[in-house]
Amino acid sequence: MKKELLSIGILGLFLTGFASNYRAQDYIDEKIVDDKGNISLVTFKKNSTLLASSPNSIFADVLKLSPNSELRLKETLRDGKFKDEKYQMFYNNLKVEFGSYNVHYKDEKITSMNGDIFSTQNAVTVPKISANEAFSKALKHVGASKYMWEDAQYTAENDYKKPAGELVLLPVEIGKGQYHLHLV
């Protein structure tokens, strides 16, 4: 009995996922592809019933993100019946600089989405030096005589703290419209 219920549950999940993927493709009005081969804009048909609960399945189905890539909700903006959600791209839990996508709504229905995503092919996500080494090299490169976090009055007045480093993937152009993600 438990095995049958498990099988029915898995089949239900499969059919639900298939239906939402099919529905997303069915409601696309137009796709615009940028010079990198990525989908930079998608508009949906006016009769679309894609709701606010749909973005992640639409991202997976339409944008074809690579394994270990995801778009995480960063910000939601509302203005009457309009809403915009801004998503940040991550690969292997590392932020991809300039990788973002926006989903636009009217009356809680998705009308369009646009943004920039980058290929993660051959992206290296294991650092070659420690965070402390990287910070020391950055300080040496800048070569300032004093930094803001060393000024007690400034830090007290502005609630400023010594910055902590963050590993990110930076898209670097390697050819016309072709990018490679570099760990920095």
Side-chain angles (χ1 to χ4, degrees), residues 38-71:
N38 293 315
I39 299 169
S40 61
L41 173 67
V42 178
T43 59
F44 297 96
K45 294 177 183 174
K46 293 197 185 314
N47 64 350
S48 166
T49 58
L50 298 173
L51 301 174
S53 60
S54 305
N56 288 325
S57 63
I58 293 172
F59 290 152
D61 187 43
V62 177
L63 299 178
K64 309 282 190 231
L65 295 175
S66 63
N68 299 322
S69 292
E70 64 180 312
L71 290 164

Side-chain angles (χ1 to χ4, degrees), residues 22-158:
Y22 177 77
R23 186 173 53 221
Q25 288 293 338
D26 193 40
Y27 285 124
I28 290 175
D29 186 37
E30 181 179 14
K31 280 188 206 179
I32 296 177
V33 178
D34 64 17
D35 58 354
K36 299 179 296 254
N38 293 315
I39 299 169
S40 61
L41 173 67
V42 178
T43 59
F44 297 96
K45 294 177 183 174
K46 293 197 185 314
N47 64 350
S48 166
T49 58
L50 298 173
L51 301 174
S53 60
S54 305
N56 288 325
S57 63
I58 293 172
F59 290 152
D61 187 43
V62 177
L63 299 178
K64 309 282 190 231
L65 295 175
S66 63
N68 299 322
S69 292
E70 64 180 312
L71 290 164
R72 295 180 188 168
L73 182 62
K74 184 169 99 173
E75 180 180 24
T76 301
L77 304 169
R78 293 182 182 274
D79 186 11
K81 59 184 173 180
F82 297 98
K83 177 172 84 169
D84 292 311
E85 291 178 339
K86 298 178 181 281
Y87 290 81
Q88 176 65 54
M89 183 179 181
F90 285 81
Y91 176 66
N92 282 346
N93 285 318
L94 292 173
K95 180 177 163 184
V96 177
E97 280 296 325
F98 310 112
S100 63
Y101 231 77
N102 305 301
V103 180
H104 310 284
Y105 299 85
K106 181 179 179 184
D107 296 324
E108 293 300 314
K109 291 183 182 176
I110 299 174
T111 58
S112 64
M113 58 187 201
N114 70 297
D116 290 308
I117 55 173
F118 297 92
S119 169
T120 57
Q121 185 177 4
N122 300 322
V124 176
T125 58
V126 179
K128 292 181 180 175
I129 61 173
S130 71
N132 287 337
E133 284 179 277
F135 192 73
S136 294
K137 285 184 177 207
L139 292 179
K140 186 176 179 180
H141 178 74
V142 171
S145 59
K146 187 174 186 179
Y147 295 93
M148 290 191 319
W149 64 84
E150 296 173 326
D151 183 333
Q153 182 179 352
Y154 180 84
T155 58
E157 291 171 359
N158 295 285

